[in-house]
Amino acid sequence: MSVTHSPEIHAKLIERIPVVTGRGLHEWFDSLDKGPGLLRPLDRSHWLADEYDLTHGYAHAIVTEYDRRRRNRSIPAPRREGP
């Protein structure tokens, strides 16, 4: 079963990910890049949820945002904080 969030809910989930997970989007994107080469978004969100003990809602939001940014390179990637 696929999870689909409204644009508003998706934006709120993305905004809360660093607070809820303790990791920024760039870190989650790195995890997806280094993870298994799963092709289907649903498979990647299940892997992310299982591997990192995330709710499926947050995992789905991360995968959706990752795919959206890969498709549309005009959206800037999140900035890495720190030195």
Side-chain angles (χ1 to χ4, degrees), residues 32-43:
L32 286 169
D33 286 338
K34 294 175 185 172
L38 302 170
L39 299 178
R40 294 181 344 156
L42 185 60
D43 292 339

Side-chain angles (χ1 to χ4, degrees), residues 1 5-6 9 11 13 15 20 22 36 50 62 65 67 71 82:
M1 179 168 81
H5 299 118
S6 69
I9 296 295
L13 288 169
E15 180 181 311
V20 171
D50 294 342
I62 292 167
E65 191 67 17
D67 289 344
R71 278 192 309 271

Side-chain angles (χ1 to χ4, degrees), residues 10 41 44 63-75:
H10 176 77
R44 287 184 284 142
V63 170
T64 300
E65 191 67 17
Y66 175 83
D67 289 344
R68 180 179 295 166
R69 291 181 189 211
R70 285 189 63 179
R71 278 192 309 271
N72 185 358
R73 298 289 181 175
S74 66
I75 299 173

Side-chain angles (χ1 to χ4, degrees), residues 15-32:
E15 180 181 311
R16 290 192 309 230
I17 283 172
V19 174
V20 171
T21 67
R23 297 175 72 185
L25 278 178
H26 68 278
E27 294 173 277
W28 289 114
F29 294 170
D30 287 345
S31 294
L32 286 169

